[in-house]
Amino acid sequence: MSLGQYLTSRVFFLQLLASAAIIAVIGYLFMHWLTFTTDHGHEIEVPNLAKLTEEQVEAKLDDLDLDYVLLDSVDYRSEFPKYSVVEQDPLPGTKVKVGRKIYIKINASGFSSVKIPDLIEKTYREAVPTLKALGLEPGTITYIPNLGKDMVLEMRLKGRNLKVGDRVLKASKIDLVLGDGKASYVDESQADSTATEPAETQNDEQ
């Protein structure tokens, strides 16, 4: 049988179909094996770990065949319990594979302290961003007679006067005493002459 006759024969087409069927079966088995080894389609929803302690996180993730890595602690946040999870990555609801590591950050045990900056004779607008940059908050504002309108004259915490460099806890509310801009300026020379007038009058009378 010549090559041309073989290529057009029934035997050739049967062999070609058999080869295609074998390749299809091998491909199907290979895809199933790949799916099994990569655990494709078996994903786990990341739980919400917020406000859980590290021990609770470990127990919860173990039940889901997930792992965790503690990255660091963050500045204390009053809305979270001490030593509880504040941040996590991936976020809750994310689909991940078995064994995926969840990265967490833990709340500190309390507020850290910062030094009081020099705000004296700064304007209120200048003082507020400085306080917030340090993790502090502006508290009650009190005005007293002074030429400098909205100028910081004193800093207080719970009624106690603060000096530059004093340490206070973050998130503290710093009360500010400001000038009202309504005080009048009296020339010192005028004040001195006024003070000496009675003495001069008395001498004249004598």
Side-chain angles (χ1 to χ4, degrees):
M1 181 182 295
S2 65
L3 179 60
Q5 291 175 331
Y6 173 72
L7 292 177
T8 57
S9 66
R10 187 166 178 271
V11 174
F12 173 74
F13 283 109
L14 290 175
Q15 290 177 340
L16 189 62
L17 289 173
S19 299
I22 292 171
I23 292 173
V25 170
I26 292 174
Y28 176 79
L29 293 175
F30 175 76
M31 292 301 296
H32 271 266
W33 173 82
L34 188 63
T35 300
F36 176 77
T37 55
T38 59
D39 203 25
H40 181 71
H42 183 199
E43 295 182 321
I44 301 169
E45 184 175 314
V46 176
N48 187 1
L49 305 176
K51 299 185 178 181
L52 298 183
T53 65
E54 189 175 353
E55 292 75 15
Q56 291 171 326
V57 168
E58 184 174 8
K60 191 164 190 172
L61 294 183
D62 278 348
D63 292 340
L64 297 173
D65 291 326
L66 298 175
D67 200 359
Y68 78 96
V69 176
L70 175 58
L71 293 178
D72 199 0
S73 61
V74 299
D75 286 340
Y76 180 70
R77 300 184 189 178
S78 58
E79 66 270 26
F80 290 87
K82 297 178 181 179
Y83 305 115
S84 68
V85 175
V86 173
E87 299 176 12
Q88 69 177 85
D89 182 33
L91 296 174
T94 305
K95 300 288 186 178
V96 298
K97 293 181 180 179
V98 171
R100 172 66 186 270
K101 291 181 179 179
I102 312 300
Y103 298 91
I104 61 174
K105 291 184 179 181
I106 298 293
N107 199 21
S109 60
F111 289 114
S112 56
S113 64
V114 293
K115 287 184 178 181
I116 288 293
D118 186 1
L119 302 179
I120 302 302
E121 296 187 354
K122 295 260 178 38
T123 65
Y124 181 74
R125 284 188 176 183
E126 293 173 322
V128 170
T130 303
L131 289 174
K132 289 187 174 182
L134 294 171
L136 302 171
E137 293 293 333
T140 302
I141 298 173
T142 305
Y143 287 94
I144 61 174
N146 188 273
L147 282 173
K149 182 172 174 57
D150 292 329
M151 180 184 293
V152 177
L153 303 175
E154 296 178 23
M155 300 174 289
R156 298 174 181 172
L157 176 63
K158 298 179 180 178
R160 176 174 63 90
N161 283 344
L162 296 172
K163 301 187 299 296
V164 176
D166 285 350
R167 300 198 74 91
V168 298
L169 294 177
K170 278 189 176 183
S172 295
K173 289 188 176 182
I174 308 303
D175 300 329
L176 300 174
V177 178
L178 308 179
D180 60 8
K182 296 179 181 178
S184 59
Y185 176 75
V186 178
D187 191 343
E188 291 183 0
S189 61
Q190 293 179 357
D192 291 341
S193 62
T194 303
T196 56
E197 277 180 6
E200 293 175 355
T201 303
Q202 185 175 7
N203 291 334
D204 293 341
E205 290 177 354
Q206 292 177 352

